[in-house]
Amino acid sequence: MASEQEYIGTALMYEDGTIELKLIASTPAGGIGDALLVYPREHKDYETILAHIGSIKPGEEKNVRPFS
């Protein structure tokens, strides 16, 4: 079973290859923040994001581990 800290959100790949990240973070003091990030194929960081999330196919959604 995954710990709460093991994943920071989800990644979804659209049919055109665009990657959508839905991320959430919390602080020890109880603060919570979330972000929706969209990376089309031509984005300068697309390959870095794709390498981080690993194998994903159009229409697939998967969990995202924290970035180092």
Side-chain angles (χ1 to χ4, degrees):
M1 180 176 212
S3 73
E4 282 185 50
Q5 302 281 341
E6 190 171 353
Y7 299 108
I8 59 169
T10 59
L12 170 68
M13 181 177 274
Y14 298 151
E15 291 300 321
D16 68 357
T18 297
I19 298 171
E20 175 187 278
L21 298 180
K22 292 181 183 175
L23 307 177
I24 189 163
S26 59
T27 68
I32 294 179
D34 60 0
L36 174 65
L37 305 169
V38 179
Y39 293 89
R41 287 180 173 251
E42 60 275 0
H43 191 282
K44 67 178 184 69
D45 295 326
Y46 183 88
E47 292 300 325
T48 301
I49 297 301
L50 186 58
H52 178 77
I53 61 176
S55 176
I56 188 169
K57 298 175 186 168
E60 186 178 7
E61 185 172 2
K62 63 187 294 188
N63 292 325
V64 177
R65 294 187 187 281
F67 293 79
S68 53

